[in-house]
């Protein structure tokens, strides 16, 4: 099953915009493939203002968030793998959604291995019921072969 984080990020982003809030992304800048301005990273994290007026070409895909923005007047292309998104929240009131750092599959291991599949739950087919299982020895009634009718109920 696909991870739910990109869907939650998109939903919270739209919810914040609809409520005229300023969406902020909290990003783990130490993750591989993250492209953010290093001068603004503090303690391995960066907070990005992703309001429509602050960014251009903003995209939230299942794999990443990308956009272009200016930092200190210098334009820069930002690329954040979805696993590095730690939160999306409102600047004004802090409402939003925060994610666990370790609950997202690594980019290299996004496809589960055969060992992981074997250790997880297994989906099996349910056997078809045999006659007499329900306690009835009579066969089920056959559907009528007549023409369907519509009855008005008031």
């Amino acid at each position: 099953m696909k991870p739910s984080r990109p869907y939650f990020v998109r939903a919270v982003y739209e919810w914040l915009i609809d409520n005229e809030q300023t969406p902020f992304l909290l990003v783990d800048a130490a993750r591989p493939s993250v492209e953010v301005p290093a001068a603004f990273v503090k303690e391995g994290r960066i907070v990005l203002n992703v309001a429509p007026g602050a960014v251009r070409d903003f995209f939230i895909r299942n794999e990443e968030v990308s956009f272009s923005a200016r930092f200190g007047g210098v334009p820069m292309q930002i690329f954040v793998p979805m696993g590095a998104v730690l939160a999306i929240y409102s600047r004004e009131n802090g409402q939003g959604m925060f994610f666990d750092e370790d609950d997202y599959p690594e980019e290299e291991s996004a496809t589960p291995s055969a060992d992981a599949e074997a250790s997880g739950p297994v989906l099996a087919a349910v056997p078809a019921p045999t006659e007499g299982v329900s306690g009835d020895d009579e066969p089920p009634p056959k559907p009528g072969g007549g023409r369907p009718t519509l009855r008005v109920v008031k």
Side-chain angles (χ1 to χ4, degrees):
M1 191 171 217
K2 294 180 182 181
S4 60
R5 187 178 299 186
Y7 301 94
F8 286 128
V9 170
R10 276 191 288 272
V12 172
Y13 178 81
E14 288 187 26
W15 174 67
L16 291 172
I17 296 300
D18 286 350
N19 286 285
E20 299 177 1
Q21 301 290 299
T22 307
F24 277 9
L25 284 181
L26 175 63
V27 175
D28 181 355
R31 285 260 185 142
S33 303
V34 172
E35 295 177 18
V36 294
F40 296 92
V41 174
K42 293 182 181 171
E43 298 178 13
R45 315 257 192 229
I46 186 169
V47 176
L48 301 170
N49 177 353
V50 291
V55 298
R56 294 184 58 198
D57 303 323
F58 182 72
F59 295 103
I60 303 175
R61 296 181 186 89
N62 285 352
E63 299 80 25
E64 80 271 347
V65 175
S66 65
F67 58 92
S68 59
R70 291 184 173 272
F71 293 87
V74 179
M76 182 170 185
Q77 186 63 33
I78 304 301
F79 180 84
V80 179
M82 196 53 70
V85 176
L86 300 178
I88 180 165
Y89 62 95
S90 166
R91 175 187 72 182
E92 290 80 7
N93 60 18
Q95 290 187 354
M97 188 167 280
F98 294 79
F99 306 103
D100 185 14
E101 295 180 46
D102 302 323
D103 74 346
Y104 203 81
E106 292 294 325
E107 287 74 24
E108 301 81 36
S109 63
T111 304
S113 66
D115 294 337
E117 288 178 351
S119 65
V122 177
L123 180 62
V126 176
T130 59
E131 287 186 303
V133 170
S134 65
D136 294 16
D137 290 346
E138 299 175 23
K142 293 186 181 180
R147 224 175 122 151
T149 60
L150 181 62
R151 188 174 78 175
V152 177
V153 178
K154 291 186 181 182

